[in-house]
Amino acid sequence: MKKEIICIVCPVGCHLLVGQDRNKELTVSGNKCPRGEVYGKDEILNPQRTVTAVAKINSLKIGFVPVKTDKPIPKALTNKLLSEIYRKKVELPVKRGEYLMENFAGTGANVIFTRTVEE
Amino acid sequence: MIEKTFDAIIIGAGAAGMAAASGISRGGFSTAIVEREDHIGGILMQCIHNGFGLTYFKKELTGPEYAEEYVLERLDDNIKIYLDTTAVDIKTEGDCKRVITYSASDGIMALKARAVVLAMGCRERNRGNLGIPGTRPAGIFTAGLAQRLLNIDGYVPGKKVVIIGSGDIGLIMARRLSWTGSKVLAVVEIQPHPSGLPRNIAQCLDDFDIPLYLSHTVTRINGRNRVSSVEVSPMENGEPDCSRSFTLDCDTILLSVGLVPENEFSRKAGVGISHDTGGAVIDADMMTNIDGVFACGNVLHVHDLVDYVTAESETCGRNVVNYLHGKINKETQGAVVPGANLKYVVPNKYQPERENHFYMRPLILRDSAVIEAKAGGKTIFKQKLKYVKPAEMISLKIPAANCLGIPLGEKIEIGLIEEK
């Protein structure tokens, strides 16, 4: 098994080659830093993504408040998360860093507000 | 008409304006920012995705978080911020600059200052700039406008989208629209390689199986009241080959085809604009040809990283402080010109006997290359660089020691050399 992927951890975007050694352990090459090795393995075993979106808020100035997951979540859960976020109706005021959702689907990731909205 | 006097006026409260204002105010000078939107932060507020602040704050933030973090840590309460206020004209009156502004709450104001910082950012190139043939239906947006409508106002631009241009804004919107439930049919790129970063090709296109058509261009837009389809043609010898075109049914087109510094206001002041950057020609202190008028951020040259905008604009703020103290020296400055494989270098002048910080954009794509600065026929500075590409601006500091002993008025030429 050999897979070519681009690492998305930083703007360099190393071209990674993920393979298997004789003991069926995953090997990663092409990474220019240790984070790339972690990403390469995760991408095969358990691909994850940080998700950013917006949620409806009852502000007079802006229609939607931006949110993000405070750590990556399994890629397969992205659409489920987005559907839940889009159903929310947030009430003023909100502070950057506060939770919109806590421990989404048992992943340990929270959805936090990335903008303070007071009016 | 309301008349007010400050030591410095900054036009624009985005990343650049905030950074310049912060340094000037902390330097003890009265500072005003004129901002036409109803909020500060500029385009950061609509960039809800990650990737900001890795260099400046040493953590990965979204655009709004970067803006708030900066305001919290760097902006002091002495700065007078005029929101919903548009600067419309500027005139020099002796030592002072007079900026005329319009706002609903204050009417017409004349703000006077000895120093003005231009920090107005960019506009997007649009269909008119490209001259794409076809009908003129609704549903054609520039990517940044679509981003604003979607992320701030919550309007989904359309359901079946074709994106023209593979720059990072277009790629980010491909993902954003996919995450909103729209179908992105394709990204069409006229060059043989993508303009945006590989990581964005991976996380914005590959993740959603969105095809990228390199060396292709949209040769026709169809639709009566609303976009109904586009005709896409491959490039052959620099021209579209319409005999091999194909049609994509869609209802929305996003254009991500370049940014242009917004300098209409600057031109009113008589500021000289560079053809290579679209922004002001500046000296070693980031001053334009108009005494006391400075420029920084996207209005000076189009940036990729807000971290660089902040660094550049904080430097500009420090230079304004020096100017207001009467400590600027123009006579000793020499010209800086771009050499091999560089589109441009800013600033356009250097100051000998101090560290000089330059920003430049490469024309080549290489795993490694060498940046070399020459003056008077001698190499004064050399540095190895990794992963050089047109999509990434180079930030280069030439230490003071290397700027010693250059003959007065001698120009510095900076070039990017490919390694054998």
Side-chain angles (χ1 to χ4, degrees):
Chain A
M1 190 268 320
K2 266 197 188 312
K3 201 156 191 253
E4 277 186 35
I5 55 175
I6 305 248
C7 179
I8 64 171
V9 177
C10 89
V12 174
C14 296
H15 288 251
L16 305 178
L17 193 62
V18 186
Q20 273 178 312
D21 65 17
R22 278 171 303 168
N23 303 323
K24 300 276 190 202
E25 293 287 317
L26 286 179
T27 59
V28 177
S29 59
N31 51 309
K32 279 138 193 155
C33 88
R35 291 184 296 167
E37 189 181 345
V38 175
Y39 175 79
K41 290 182 182 171
D42 274 347
E43 200 51 15
I44 304 299
L45 298 171
N46 175 24
Q48 301 184 91
R49 296 287 184 268
T50 297
V51 177
T52 54
V54 294
K56 181 103 192 74
I57 189 168
N58 64 340
S59 153
L60 293 174
K61 293 186 95 181
I62 60 173
F64 285 73
V65 56
V67 298
K68 75 174 187 189
T69 55
D70 59 4
K71 64 195 236 313
I73 62 162
K75 207 169 151 187
L77 290 176
T78 306
N79 286 334
K80 179 169 161 32
L81 173 65
L82 288 169
S83 307
E84 282 191 39
I85 293 174
Y86 293 146
R87 277 199 287 268
K88 297 278 184 202
K89 289 182 171 38
V90 181
E91 303 235 335
L92 292 170
V94 298
K95 272 196 75 151
R96 174 171 67 112
E98 281 179 352
Y99 291 174
L100 171 67
M101 290 161 61
E102 212 174 320
N103 188 15
F104 166 69
T107 58
N110 309 304
V111 178
I112 63 172
F113 297 110
T114 55
R115 181 175 181 172
T116 298
V117 189
E118 269 147 9
E119 49 172 357
Chain B
M1 160 151 77
I2 300 174
E3 302 233 358
K4 286 203 162 65
T5 303
F6 296 89
D7 292 315
I9 298 169
I10 289 98
I11 318 288
M18 294 196 295
S22 115
I24 300 170
S25 184
R26 273 147 185 252
F29 293 100
S30 61
T31 311
I33 308 180
V34 177
E35 168 57 55
R36 68 185 175 200
E37 298 281 353
D38 65 3
H39 58 269
I40 61 176
I43 56 173
L44 285 168
M45 306 315 284
Q46 65 186 61
C47 293
I48 65 161
H49 52 280
N50 255 345
F52 303 86
L54 282 161
T55 315
Y56 192 80
F57 289 117
K58 305 274 185 281
K59 43 186 169 171
E60 191 169 28
L61 300 171
T62 60
E65 286 173 312
Y66 185 100
E68 269 193 41
E69 194 91 340
Y70 195 85
V71 169
L72 209 67
E73 296 203 6
R74 298 277 185 267
L75 282 202
D76 65 64
D77 296 328
N78 297 320
I79 301 173
K80 174 73 186 154
I81 302 178
Y82 292 101
L83 294 176
D84 288 306
T85 305
T86 306
V88 295
D89 204 354
I90 173 171
K91 293 249 181 321
T92 307
E93 287 179 355
D95 212 22
C96 267
K97 268 55 71 181
R98 200 156 173 265
V99 176
I100 305 296
T101 67
Y102 291 170
S103 83
S105 48
D106 297 310
I108 306 178
M109 286 197 294
L111 304 178
K112 285 170 61 164
R114 280 194 294 136
V116 170
V117 178
L118 306 170
M120 298 88 77
C122 287
R123 287 192 192 281
E124 299 183 276
R125 286 178 82 218
N126 53 39
R127 184 201 178 168
N129 297 125
L130 300 189
I132 304 176
T135 53
R136 288 164 57 181
I140 305 171
F141 304 85
T142 50
L145 172 61
Q147 186 184 55
R148 159 85 184 238
L149 291 171
L150 181 53
N151 292 342
I152 308 280
D153 304 307
Y155 294 114
V156 177
K159 285 298 187 181
K160 288 159 67 182
V161 187
V162 169
I163 298 178
I164 304 179
S166 63
D168 288 316
I169 306 172
L171 299 178
I172 290 291
M173 280 308 288
R175 176 176 67 179
R176 185 80 192 94
L177 286 165
S178 303
W179 274 351
T180 307
S182 301
K183 179 105 182 97
V184 179
L185 301 164
V187 174
V188 180
E189 167 57 56
I190 199 169
Q191 297 192 88
H193 47 80
S195 314
L197 297 170
R199 100 196 269 218
N200 284 332
I201 303 290
Q203 66 188 357
C204 301
L205 299 189
D206 297 340
D207 264 11
F208 302 95
D209 295 319
I210 298 171
L212 170 63
Y213 294 102
L214 294 172
S215 299
H216 279 70
T217 190
V218 169
T219 40
R220 198 182 163 82
I221 296 176
N222 300 311
R224 192 155 176 269
N225 296 320
R226 180 80 195 195
V227 172
S228 62
S229 67
V230 291
E231 184 187 275
V232 181
S233 307
M235 299 297 290
E236 191 70 48
N237 297 322
E239 293 290 327
D241 179 1
C242 295
S243 69
R244 290 188 288 144
S245 72
F246 56 93
T247 304
L248 291 172
D249 288 335
C250 56
D251 59 25
T252 307
I253 299 167
L254 255 53
L255 293 163
S256 171
V257 293
L259 298 173
V260 179
E262 190 175 330
N263 278 300
E264 288 96 358
F265 182 80
S266 318
R267 288 188 168 96
K268 283 192 175 171
V271 169
I273 304 293
S274 156
H275 180 73
D276 298 317
T277 57
V281 175
I282 52 167
D283 70 8
D285 297 306
M286 305 178 70
M287 198 187 317
T288 67
N289 57 316
I290 308 290
D291 190 71
V293 176
F294 298 76
C296 59
N298 272 350
V299 82
L300 178 62
H301 60 133
V302 177
H303 284 258
D304 321 303
L305 295 179
V306 69
D307 308 64
Y308 282 11
V309 170
T310 299
E312 176 180 87
S313 306
E314 285 183 346
T315 299
C316 187
R318 283 193 291 274
N319 296 339
V320 172
V321 167
N322 283 339
Y323 172 78
L324 291 170
H325 280 305
K327 288 198 201 149
I328 295 274
N329 184 350
K330 294 199 216 187
E331 283 83 42
T332 47
Q333 296 182 26
V336 178
V337 294
N341 299 313
L342 288 179
K343 183 159 192 251
Y344 68 81
V345 179
V346 294
N348 304 96
K349 287 200 160 160
Y350 71 96
Q351 188 73 263
E353 318 204 348
R354 72 151 200 228
E355 178 189 84
N356 282 276
H357 192 166
F358 299 105
Y359 295 93
M360 57 208 78
R361 207 165 267 290
L363 287 166
I364 54 175
L365 200 133
R366 296 287 182 279
D367 272 349
S368 68
V370 173
I371 202 91
E372 186 178 25
K374 286 181 161 155
K378 293 196 303 183
T379 299
I380 60 164
F381 187 74
K382 241 177 153 169
Q383 186 173 59
K384 261 191 132 160
L385 295 175
K386 289 175 108 176
Y387 321 121
V388 161
K389 44 173 94 84
E392 276 177 53
M393 184 184 290
I394 296 168
S395 163
L396 183 79
K397 284 187 188 169
I398 301 187
N402 298 66
C403 300
L404 286 175
I406 303 176
L408 192 66
E410 187 69 52
K411 74 169 194 269
I412 290 181
E413 182 180 293
I414 304 181
L416 190 60
I417 326 268
E418 307 179 52
E419 279 194 313
K420 300 287 185 284

